[in-house]
Amino acid sequence: MDMARLARVRGYMEEEGLEQIVVTSTAAVYYLTGLWVEPHERMLALYLDRAGRAALFGNRMFGLARPEDLELILHTDSDDPIADLARYVKPGALGVDKFWPSKFLIGLMAARPDIRPVLGSGPVDAARRYKDAKEIAALRAASKINDQVVETVIAALTGGVSELELAALVNKTYMSLGADCADGPQLVCFGPNAADPHHAPGQDVIQAGQCAVFDIFTPIGRYWCDMTRTVFYKDCDPESRRVYETVRQANLAGIAAVKPGVPLRSIDRAARAVIEEAGYGEYFTHRLGHGVGVECHEPPDVSAGSEAVAQPGMVFSVEPGIYLPGRLGVRVEDLVLVTEEGCEALNAAPKGLRVVG
């Protein structure tokens, strides 16, 4: 167990009035225990209470070694996975992870009608917002690799190449540089396809004058990098240049607004105002950003509705975009670390307008 992280979680449990919680997401369990388990259809549950008890419930096939400072309670495929946990929890309110499958929650409620399940993800989510030194080092290293990967892929943007080919090259390059997996759903989008912020790459081939959006991300050492760069192939017409420069300026304005004590909704507003003033407000269709850490998307949310305030140790994306249906899309994204004085951009890949090929 990481006792410092556990202490922070228990502090947030006290703030929320939660005596006991069940943590079940792979990323959250890893954050607290250092154990990475993909349970699939099987049950994984970390029980914590404010009195100091901590127990991990899992299947024997997970191959878990008994960790220090943590009780390990194992079952087999022939057992009722809920039975041991049902005997362990205390009556009353039980904070339950937002990701726990209903088949387990319903089973626990049937076995223990004296418990009252409530949403219990808040304490772990709150603790994970603030990265410690080890996490910050991992995020810096991952983003440095991402800078290398995006330059490799941009250099491969030539006539006849398809979105899928470049998406495959992204994953191949990540693996050669130490990524944790080789099959991430990279977003490589050409021309009109880029007007869909989450377009899945296909067989489309780049054409002269089209934009190419590379939104690339992967876990490296369990911590995610996430960055977007947009370039143009062979030519760039005047409106495309205007759209690109507007998005780039919005990205810079958002980063400039990041300081301790600033509401995240104000950071969203700073970037969004640049796009609105240029007349493209209706074409910026998503939030400005999201937290990044053990998961690519995690709290805090950087949007107009966010209640969070920037504090040192937070890491999140700043990714404004403009999406013109049937024509093009432009997005420029960096990860930023909130520091005591302001912020540190974790990405260094060039952001000036680039016409390649």
Side-chain angles (χ1 to χ4, degrees):
M1 293 287 285
D2 188 309
M3 303 311 291
R5 295 177 185 177
L6 181 58
R8 288 200 297 272
V9 169
R10 285 191 166 124
Y12 288 119
M13 289 172 63
E14 184 173 6
E15 286 185 13
E16 295 192 21
L18 290 171
E19 176 60 33
Q20 55 180 350
I21 62 173
V22 175
V23 181
T24 72
S25 81
T26 293
V29 170
Y30 171 78
Y31 173 77
L32 288 168
T33 69
L35 300 171
W36 188 271
V37 180
E38 297 280 2
H40 302 292
E41 75 272 19
R42 294 175 172 86
M43 191 188 84
L44 174 72
L46 173 63
Y47 175 88
L48 303 173
D49 72 10
R50 280 165 49 194
R53 287 201 306 171
L56 182 64
F57 297 80
N59 196 294
R60 289 189 180 278
M61 72 165 293
F62 296 162
L64 294 170
R66 188 170 300 277
E68 295 182 9
D69 305 313
L70 179 63
E71 187 176 358
L72 183 61
I73 302 172
L74 301 175
H75 58 267
T76 71
D77 282 350
S78 299
D79 300 326
D80 175 4
I82 287 293
D84 289 326
L85 180 60
R87 288 190 287 269
Y88 208 89
V89 300
K90 295 179 283 192
L94 173 68
V96 176
D97 195 316
K98 58 192 172 188
F99 297 110
W100 207 27
S102 59
K103 65 179 182 179
F104 299 131
L105 175 58
I106 292 171
L108 181 61
M109 292 170 66
R112 287 293 303 272
D114 58 339
I115 66 165
R116 178 171 57 86
V118 298
L119 186 60
S121 295
V124 180
D125 285 350
R128 284 172 57 187
R129 287 186 181 190
Y130 307 101
K131 273 55 182 181
D132 58 32
K134 181 179 177 181
E135 292 179 291
I136 289 169
L139 287 161
R140 283 183 178 134
S143 285
K144 187 174 182 179
I145 288 172
N146 218 11
D147 288 340
Q148 296 177 248
V149 175
V150 80
E151 291 302 316
T152 297
V153 179
I154 289 172
L157 185 62
T158 58
V161 72
S162 72
E163 295 171 334
L164 274 173
E165 288 173 311
L166 290 185
L169 177 61
V170 172
N171 285 322
K172 180 180 178 181
T173 308
Y174 274 141
M175 284 303 294
S176 73
L177 295 171
D180 297 343
C181 58
D183 58 353
Q186 307 301 331
L187 302 181
V188 177
C189 321
F190 298 158
N193 293 340
D196 174 1
H198 282 169
H199 167 75
Q203 298 292 351
D204 297 74
V205 172
I206 191 71
Q207 303 295 322
Q210 286 186 336
C211 65
V213 175
F214 300 96
D215 185 346
I216 62 175
F217 40 84
T218 201
I220 302 172
R222 298 296 183 199
Y223 280 80
W224 283 77
C225 56
D226 187 9
M227 175 179 60
T228 308
R229 292 293 183 265
T230 303
V231 301
F232 293 84
Y233 182 63
K234 289 190 177 296
D235 191 20
C236 182
D237 64 52
E239 184 174 23
S240 296
R241 288 177 178 272
R242 183 168 184 260
V243 168
Y244 184 87
E245 186 59 21
T246 299
V247 173
R248 187 179 75 88
Q249 290 297 331
N251 168 271
L252 294 174
I255 293 173
V258 179
K259 295 178 178 62
V262 175
L264 299 194
R265 62 179 177 272
S266 297
I267 299 169
D268 180 283
R269 174 96 307 265
R272 197 171 300 274
V274 174
I275 293 175
E276 291 174 348
E277 288 166 9
Y280 294 105
E282 66 181 294
Y283 302 110
F284 181 10
T285 55
H286 54 75
R287 64 189 175 184
L288 181 65
H290 54 83
V292 178
V294 184
E295 293 177 286
C296 190
H297 286 211
E298 62 181 45
D301 176 52
V302 187
S303 70
S306 178
E307 297 297 325
V309 174
Q311 297 294 345
M314 287 184 174
V315 176
F316 50 80
S317 65
V318 175
E319 50 181 303
I322 294 174
Y323 311 95
L324 303 183
R327 290 202 54 206
L328 81 159
V330 172
R331 183 163 62 257
V332 178
E333 173 188 13
D334 296 295
L335 298 188
V336 298
L337 163 68
V338 184
T339 65
E340 296 290 343
E341 298 78 25
C343 80
E344 171 191 340
L346 301 186
N347 297 108
K351 291 188 283 191
L353 177 67
R354 299 169 74 177
V355 180
V356 301

